[in-house]
Amino acid sequence: MALALLVAVPIGVFAGLSPGRWPDRVALYLGSVFVSVPNFWLGIVLALVFSVQLGWLPAIGYENFAYTILPAIVLAVEIAPFIIRTLSVSVAQVMRESYIGAAAVRGLGQTRIIMAHALKNASVPLLNLLGVQFSLLLGGVLVVEFIFDYPGLGLLTINAVLQRDFPLIQGIAIVTSVAFVMINIFVDLLATMIDPRLEY
């Protein structure tokens, strides 16, 4: 999620500030490429290049932080297009609001208008998206964990199903369901703190 935000937020903001111009088109094309890349294919290619050929990063299992880099890149590429599109549309919509024009009339600089007003209000749809995406990540990403033999909830679920371990399957379902609900409650509370109008 951190990698996806690091890449997608600047692209989405620049695209939203320049609707219809080249930053918006670059964001659209980049998002289309990212969303079209199958995660299982990208995982295999990254493992072949960075693990087998270059030997820079490990690909199988988990022993330290280095083992998380390749799976994190695959998941970030999968998540980034949704963040880019949501943020670009939200920023473009906020920049057309009347209070943005009023802030410019009051003499506020463009940077302050963007940072203090536009991004704050544009972040509410992004928060809702991040809540859903983070809940999905927390529940385990089956294909990515299977490719990298990463000991996460997805791989644990597959092994539990194959071994017919019903108590473990029920436990995973309960834990992920509770986590999903708690994350969405937290996101809703955070959204109302950013925009108090959502309370009504």
Side-chain angles (χ1 to χ4, degrees), residues 63-147:
E63 293 182 10
N64 52 49
F65 180 76
Y67 286 80
T68 66
I69 296 176
L70 290 182
I73 292 174
V74 174
L75 294 176
V77 169
E78 188 175 351
I79 297 171
F82 303 102
I83 299 176
I84 291 173
R85 198 61 197 153
T86 300
L87 193 57
S88 63
V89 171
S90 184
V91 169
Q93 182 178 0
V94 168
M95 291 301 292
R96 291 194 295 266
E97 296 290 337
S98 58
Y99 60 84
I100 298 295
V105 171
R106 287 168 50 199
L108 297 181
Q110 184 73 7
T111 303
R112 185 176 177 186
I113 292 174
I114 294 171
M115 299 301 295
H117 298 284
L119 288 184
K120 178 182 177 182
N121 291 285
S123 63
V124 175
L126 179 62
L127 276 176
N128 295 325
L129 174 66
L130 292 182
V132 174
Q133 294 292 335
F134 194 80
S135 299
L136 295 176
L137 289 178
L138 193 64
V141 185
L142 302 179
V143 175
V144 175
E145 291 180 6
F146 187 76
I147 290 173

Side-chain angles (χ1 to χ4, degrees), residues 5 11 23 25 39 56 62 67 71 103 110 144 146 163 168 187 200:
L5 288 172
I11 297 173
R25 291 195 294 270
N39 57 6
W56 290 353
Y62 178 80
Y67 286 80
Q110 184 73 7
V144 175
F146 187 76
Q163 297 171 8
L168 181 56
V187 166
Y200 303 98

